Amino acid sequence: MKRYLLFCFAYLSVAIVSGQTQLPSVPLNTLKGETINSHALLNDGVPVVISFWSTICKPCIEELNAFRDQWTTWQEEVSFKIVAVSTDDARSVSRVRTFAAAREWPFTVLIDKNQDFKRALNVNSIPQLYIITPKGNIVYSHIGYTPGSESKVLEVLKGL
Amino acid sequence: MYAQSNLSGSFETNTIYYLNDSKPGIIAPDDKLGSNNYFKVDYQYKKFRAGLQYEAYLPVLQGLPTTLRNSGLVFKYASFQDSNLAVTAGDFYDQFGNGLIFRAYEERAIGLNTSVEGVRLAYSFRDLFHVKGILGRPREFMDKAESNIKGASLSVDLASLFKLEHSVAGAAINVINRYVSYAGQEPVNPNVQAYSFNVNWDVEAFSFQGEYAYKSKDNSVYSNNKNKNGSALLLEIGYNTTGFGSLLSLRRLEYMQFGTTRGIAGVGRDLNYLPALTKQHGYSLAMLNPHNTMGNEETGGQLDIQYRLKSGSLLGGKYGTQLSFNASTYYNLKGDAVHGYDFLGTGNTKYFQDINIDIEKKISATLLTHLFYSGQVFNPVVIGKENTLYASHVAAGDLLWKSAPGRSFRFELQHLWSRDYLKNWGAALVEFSASPAFTCFIGDMYNYGDTGVHYYRLGGSYTFSRTRIALNYGRNREGLICAGGVCLYMPAYTGLNLAVTSSF
């Protein structure tokens, strides 16, 4: 128990002094296999919503479907882009393209096959969502998806 | 754009307090507790990055390798990365091609971490050629394996090189050498070489990728000391357009298990990655008997078709309807170990089959339904048991009801019909969510065909920012738990489970 408490203390000590505030620079793959850097996601000069998902994560897919259903309405209210980053590995990564095409997701889908981007942002469980400003600052993050939580994303985007 | 400096990290604990439970005959371990803990810190300064991961097993959760014991700084690294060059000294994860000959990765749910400690160098030349070299020792639980590996990978962007318009095309060649010293009298080569060649081609809606791998003679425990050359072939063909996606995957494996040493392979001791190419279902009864890849002798494939009926159409209704069809089947190879195996065809032993359909339909702005069917055939020989077949049919459905803004209920029902093994099962679950932070659930999985045991569970979670706390109580059945394509046989337990994950 003593070691466990020390463990928790060490975590809290580090957590309160700093944190991941900037989008890290990591190579990612497009659905066709081309390589792009995560910083290229900022090139359009608009806020970016990054959602980590996989084809075997049901709440992740519910979240992305909710974004699809709201996409047209939201784009009229605020300018932003969504990037769905798949963490599928060799078992299911080929299904990512099938998945995205069949669901008519109107946003960018990228692949983090070796999970380097996921590790760089210290994502332990999915879905996990980040909102990034055009300058690369992380202003919002959330683990998990519950129906209706997408409205909080719109609220944050409107406040930028 | 690089941040000047940045300190970030994460913490994760998965702790279970075990209880005795007379009905299924579960006896809790003497110290009652199992606790897996991970603390990771990364520091970045411009293009430099360094970090470490501390792991503490106090003690390790039941069912995971008991060689994960005590605690230690088991992962530490320093790296430099700019647009063309990446250098890492210390521990790293990586993969060549589809992982047929090499994959170093982490899967905490099953206590797996096969990171390599050594040096990794990657260089890109005009975005046309990418070359990578690695040198090091694979991790084996809290220590390092008694082996050294070295590897190289070269990939070429063929579409850019030959200025192919409207196409993405590439080729890669990969090689890995594993050295394990040997001083005995048997004819054992201390070096095993593995090579793979990979091509991919995308044009318009059509996609193709193929990888062929070859492994030299490997006199090892996991290949029953047969000392044979190994090979693998993976082919994938896809056609994807708006509202329609399809993929056909075919794979043949012959003596392709590749351990970090010549001893026992398996979870935490594999150098390559041979996941089961089957669909992982979200319904628990459809995952009672998942396939486990037979890396030394298996052939088969998977077909995946997904289609969205347009919203506003006759069949799609107001919100559209999502249809998914998936089928997979795997057999042993034709031939035998003495006379050799045929390249084409299948043997007489079926390992696994799954034909499944999933329909997702949004009925109104507040109601969403799923209907699911899966017909499965499972051969327990893939988990080292007798060669026989268990046939089952699983039907399931769930209904999501958004009762008020930010409030929702999910009702789930499942049933499994079978005349084999544990026969019939039923399951039900109710979940309530208050977005964006709170969820709770209560559920039961009941084997009424044979044992009469209820596997009840209840729990909840609370999320704030990048922290999630979940507390569950219940009875968990024994069986194969699969994470990241690798499966581990877990014992039954009853207990209280605290899971916390947080990043900063």
Side-chain angles (χ1 to χ4, degrees):
Chain A
M1 182 54 79
K2 189 178 168 186
R3 287 167 72 186
Y4 188 76
L5 291 173
L6 277 172
F7 194 84
C8 295
F9 176 74
Y11 172 75
L12 289 171
S13 308
V14 179
I16 57 175
V17 297
S18 187
Q20 183 80 47
T21 55
Q22 283 272 320
L23 181 69
S25 166
V26 177
L28 293 159
N29 288 111
T30 66
L31 289 179
K32 292 199 165 194
E34 297 156 305
T35 303
I36 64 159
N37 189 285
S38 54
H39 280 168
L41 304 178
L42 306 172
N43 288 350
D44 294 339
V46 294
V48 183
V49 175
I50 294 175
S51 175
F52 285 87
W53 73 287
S54 94
T55 57
I56 58 169
C57 166
K58 199 169 175 177
C60 304
I61 295 155
E62 284 176 3
E63 180 178 52
L64 293 171
N65 284 343
F67 287 144
R68 175 197 60 199
D69 294 345
Q70 304 282 353
W71 179 254
T72 309
T73 314
W74 284 14
Q75 286 294 312
E76 288 167 3
E77 296 182 44
V78 57
S79 183
F80 71 103
K81 63 195 265 188
I82 294 177
V83 179
V85 178
S86 157
T87 59
D88 287 86
D89 62 25
R91 173 172 189 171
S92 50
V93 71
S94 298
R95 295 184 69 231
V96 171
R97 198 169 167 193
T98 310
F99 229 81
R103 277 158 186 76
E104 299 180 310
W105 288 338
F107 31 79
T108 307
V109 179
L110 297 175
I111 292 172
D112 185 24
K113 196 172 171 181
N114 199 35
Q115 305 192 344
D116 294 323
F117 193 43
K118 184 179 167 214
R119 266 192 297 276
L121 278 165
N122 285 296
V123 173
N124 284 338
S125 60
I126 56 171
Q128 185 155 346
L129 178 143
Y130 291 86
I131 298 179
I132 319 284
T133 66
K135 290 188 175 178
N137 296 316
I138 298 171
V139 289
Y140 177 78
S141 176
H142 189 80
I143 300 175
Y145 171 73
T146 47
S149 62
E150 62 274 14
S151 55
K152 176 68 181 173
V153 174
L154 180 65
E155 185 188 315
V156 175
L157 286 167
K158 280 180 170 175
L160 292 178
Chain B
M1 179 196 304
Y2 289 95
Q4 284 297 304
S5 69
N6 194 55
L7 184 69
S8 62
S10 68
F11 165 73
E12 183 175 355
T13 182
N14 193 5
T15 299
I16 299 175
Y17 185 79
Y18 297 100
L19 299 165
N20 292 326
D21 190 348
S22 58
K23 174 71 177 175
I26 295 169
I27 299 170
D30 289 343
D31 58 7
K32 303 282 188 190
L33 199 73
S35 183
N36 291 6
N37 304 275
Y38 308 85
F39 179 38
K40 177 173 174 281
V41 178
D42 296 294
Y43 179 72
Q44 182 183 337
Y45 180 73
K46 295 184 178 176
K47 298 179 182 180
F48 293 91
R49 201 170 171 90
L52 51 87
Q53 180 165 299
Y54 176 77
E55 297 177 13
Y57 301 93
L58 306 168
V60 71
L61 295 174
Q62 266 197 312
L64 300 188
T66 51
T67 33
L68 287 170
R69 63 168 70 98
N70 301 326
S71 59
L73 282 173
V74 285
F75 191 96
K76 38 204 177 295
Y77 74 96
S79 68
F80 169 85
Q81 182 174 330
D82 71 5
S83 54
N84 295 318
L85 177 70
V87 184
T88 304
D91 298 284
F92 59 85
Y93 303 101
D94 206 343
Q95 175 176 316
F96 287 178
N98 290 286
L100 291 173
I101 62 168
F102 172 67
R103 186 185 184 204
Y105 68 114
E106 181 185 41
E107 196 62 65
R108 291 178 182 173
I110 52 170
L112 186 156
N113 191 319
T114 55
S115 56
V116 173
E117 183 192 49
V119 179
R120 178 185 180 275
L121 190 69
Y123 186 76
S124 298
F125 180 73
R126 292 184 181 175
D127 283 333
L128 290 176
F129 298 93
H130 304 271
V131 62
K132 191 159 61 176
I134 61 166
L135 196 62
R137 294 175 68 197
R139 176 177 165 181
E140 193 170 290
F141 306 110
M142 299 303 281
D143 208 339
K144 302 297 172 197
E146 290 297 322
S147 63
N148 287 296
I149 61 163
K150 38 192 175 291
S153 171
L154 171 68
S155 59
V156 185
D157 182 345
L158 295 173
S160 300
L161 192 66
F162 297 110
K163 298 184 169 50
L164 302 174
E165 290 186 9
H166 313 297
S167 286
V168 172
I173 186 161
N174 313 294
V175 57
I176 279 281
N177 168 279
R178 184 200 70 193
Y179 170 81
V180 182
S181 66
Y182 182 73
Q185 301 299 313
E186 300 294 320
V188 172
N189 188 338
N191 288 288
V192 175
Q193 267 78 240
Y195 308 89
S196 77
F197 178 66
N198 180 282
V199 290
N200 69 284
W201 179 47
D202 266 76
V203 56
E204 307 290 342
F206 169 82
S207 66
F208 168 79
Q209 80 135 335
E211 181 167 350
Y212 177 77
Y214 166 83
K215 182 162 75 80
S216 67
K217 287 177 181 171
D218 183 4
N219 198 331
S220 54
V221 173
Y222 53 80
S223 62
N224 295 319
N225 298 103
K226 284 180 181 158
N227 209 22
K228 303 269 191 178
N229 295 321
S231 67
L233 178 66
L234 174 69
L235 298 172
E236 291 186 323
I237 300 163
Y239 183 84
N240 301 289
T241 186
T242 308
F244 177 82
S246 63
L247 178 75
L248 175 67
S249 307
L250 301 168
R251 190 179 67 183
R252 180 188 186 279
L253 302 170
E254 180 178 345
Y255 296 116
M256 274 309 287
Q257 259 203 297
F258 196 10
T260 50
T261 67
R262 281 193 297 269
I264 302 164
V267 172
R269 288 191 171 107
D270 287 326
L271 205 53
N272 61 347
Y273 182 58
L274 307 173
L277 298 182
T278 58
K279 186 176 176 184
Q280 285 177 282
H281 301 298
Y283 294 102
S284 54
L285 292 186
M287 291 299 288
L288 282 184
N289 294 303
H291 180 46
N292 191 36
T293 301
M294 300 291 275
N296 288 332
E297 191 201 340
E298 181 184 285
T299 187
Q302 175 181 218
L303 175 66
D304 199 53
I305 298 173
Q306 305 194 36
Y307 181 62
R308 183 170 155 83
L309 296 167
K310 303 274 184 215
S311 55
S313 65
L314 181 66
L315 294 173
K318 185 178 177 184
Y319 297 96
T321 302
Q322 194 73 48
L323 305 175
S324 302
F325 170 80
N326 175 276
S328 58
T329 186
Y330 292 91
Y331 285 81
N332 68 335
L333 297 177
K334 189 176 181 182
D336 59 58
V338 178
H339 302 95
Y341 296 108
D342 292 354
F343 187 78
L344 296 173
T346 66
N348 295 320
T349 304
K350 179 182 279 187
Y351 290 143
F352 186 78
Q353 180 178 294
D354 183 7
I355 298 169
N356 57 81
I357 298 168
D358 193 323
I359 301 169
E360 182 187 326
K361 172 80 182 162
K362 190 172 176 181
I363 297 169
S364 70
T366 57
L367 285 177
L368 176 71
T369 59
H370 272 96
L371 290 174
F372 170 82
Y373 165 79
S374 172
Q376 298 183 7
V377 177
F378 172 77
N379 190 334
V381 75
V382 302
I383 52 172
K385 296 187 175 178
E386 64 172 325
N387 183 2
T388 184
L389 295 177
Y390 301 160
S392 63
H393 301 271
V394 180
D398 66 62
L399 176 74
L400 178 73
W401 173 43
K402 296 176 185 173
S403 58
R407 303 284 183 273
S408 63
F409 289 89
R410 193 163 73 87
F411 306 94
E412 181 183 290
L413 284 173
Q414 305 179 55
H415 193 271
L416 181 148
W417 291 266
S418 179
R419 293 177 181 171
D420 305 311
Y421 192 42
L422 298 178
K423 302 187 173 62
N424 291 354
W425 291 74
L429 180 133
V430 180
E431 187 179 54
F432 170 73
S433 302
S435 82
F438 177 74
T439 64
C440 63
F441 72 92
I442 182 163
D444 186 25
M445 204 162 83
Y446 176 39
N447 177 239
Y448 71 90
D450 185 60
T451 63
V453 174
H454 286 272
Y455 294 91
Y456 54 85
R457 292 181 73 219
L458 69 152
S461 69
Y462 186 76
T463 306
F464 50 100
S465 186
R466 300 181 208 180
T467 299
R468 181 175 186 271
I469 299 170
L471 193 65
N472 300 322
Y473 171 76
R475 189 183 274 166
N476 294 266
R477 68 172 191 95
E478 69 169 353
L480 220 51
I481 302 297
C482 301
V486 177
C487 300
L488 188 66
Y489 205 78
M490 301 286 269
Y493 75 86
T494 298
L496 185 68
N497 181 195
L498 171 71
V500 180
T501 178
S502 178
S503 61
F504 60 89

